Amino acid sequence: MTETNVSRAITKAVIPAAGLGTRFLPATKATPKEMLPVVDRPAIQYVVQEAVDAGLTDVLMITGRNKRALEDHFDRVPTLEEQLEDQGKDKLLRSVRDTNDLGEIHYVRQGDPKGLGHAVLRAKVHVGNEPFAVLLGDDLIDEKDDLLSEMVAVQQKTGGSVIALMEVPEDQISAYGCAAISQVEGENFFKVSELVEKPAVEEAPSNYAVIGRYVLAPQVFEVLENTAPGRGGEIQLTDALQTLAKGESEGEGVYGVVFKGRRFDTGDKLSYLKANIILAAEREDLGPDLRAWVKEFAAEL
Ligand code: G1P
């Protein structure tokens, strides 16, 4: 733990969004998976909103080919705004303006698809020597939870890197990064001693899965530069964090916050459908009718 990292406020969020979205083909043949709507907003908008709500107003997206729709979505469309204004469609106008006012969004392309670690490394120049957050677009965290703010606070306190963890049934651990942890005395966070990317069930050190939120010390960049391709031949962020977890110098050490709230994995078809239904059922405008219909529908099954 050092004063250098500890005292730096965190303002930057990095959102890797270069993945091909093959799990959603053919929907993602010409449309980025991040643009698939959850109720009436593209999935990526929830993620950017989460970053902004945690005070991270400088967002860098790591994109790739076929991702122009992302830039268009967060850009102004003056003709559309004028039209909605003329027609007195205030609610729609507000929803369009909300997408433009989400902080400052920058874009850089990943180039080669060499994995999550490689995508994060592409943020090095933009981020510089400051701690920063990484939010994976496939994971939606319930807006009622302030997981990211909690992680930012742990980073500020420890000066290390912070990961979000969730307990999963044993047979699901091989879909995630997995962490061995121990309680930090007197604190509500954990020290991470070991990290393995997508271990086989019998090799998993625990059932604590890494979920898609990270608050990282800038030291991660140098480690990533020296991280060899791992699982799937890709440069894994989990492997770089394993190196940091073993270190004791400035900016090293990895800590875990265990998340007990609701997370939706919109990268998986079934979870994506569930997310749409659950979130719509909670909305004032759609909820009452949807809930009534779901009951009727379920009774017929
Ligand atoms: C990535 C990470 C993995 C993490 C997961 C969370 O994997 O590599 O460690 O558990 O995100 O969603 P992916 O799901 O992109 O294959």
Side-chain angles (χ1 to χ4, degrees), residues 116 136 139 175-177 197-198 210-212 214 236 238 263:
L116 178 59
L136 303 189
D139 283 332
Y176 298 94
E197 179 67 3
K198 304 195 174 125
V210 177
I211 58 170
Y214 308 78
Q236 297 292 351
T238 303
R263 159 188 178 262

Side-chain angles (χ1 to χ4, degrees), residues 23 33 115-117 136 138-139 164 173 175-178 195-198 208-214 234-239 241 263 265:
R23 280 196 277 178
K33 65 170 174 172
L116 178 59
L136 303 189
D138 284 346
D139 283 332
I173 196 69
Y176 298 94
C178 174
L195 278 153
V196 197
E197 179 67 3
K198 304 195 174 125
Y208 284 100
V210 177
I211 58 170
R213 297 295 180 270
Y214 308 78
E234 298 187 335
I235 298 173
Q236 297 292 351
L237 181 58
T238 303
D239 294 345
L241 288 168
R263 159 188 178 262
D265 176 5

Side-chain angles (χ1 to χ4, degrees), residues 15-30:
I15 304 183
L20 297 175
T22 40
R23 280 196 277 178
F24 275 86
L25 281 169
T28 47
K29 194 175 166 201

Side-chain angles (χ1 to χ4, degrees), residues 107-175:
Y107 302 87
V108 64
R109 285 196 178 203
Q110 187 176 357
D112 301 317
K114 290 193 201 154
L116 178 59
H118 177 253
V120 170
L121 189 50
R122 297 287 290 128
K124 184 181 173 187
V125 174
H126 184 85
V127 168
N129 193 29
E130 297 169 20
F132 63 104
V134 174
L135 293 87
L136 303 189
D138 284 346
D139 283 332
L140 296 195
I141 300 293
D142 193 340
E143 61 179 11
K144 292 194 233 19
D145 285 295
D146 52 4
L147 171 66
L148 202 53
S149 308
E150 198 182 328
M151 294 172 73
V152 165
V154 175
Q155 198 290 324
Q156 300 279 278
K157 191 159 194 178
T158 61
S161 291
V162 186
I163 58 176
L165 297 167
M166 207 166 176
E167 275 194 271
V168 298
E170 228 175 61
D171 61 345
Q172 285 175 24
I173 196 69
S174 49

Side-chain angles (χ1 to χ4, degrees), residues 198-211:
K198 304 195 174 125
V201 183
E202 51 295 352
E203 276 154 31
S206 76
N207 67 333
Y208 284 100
V210 177
I211 58 170

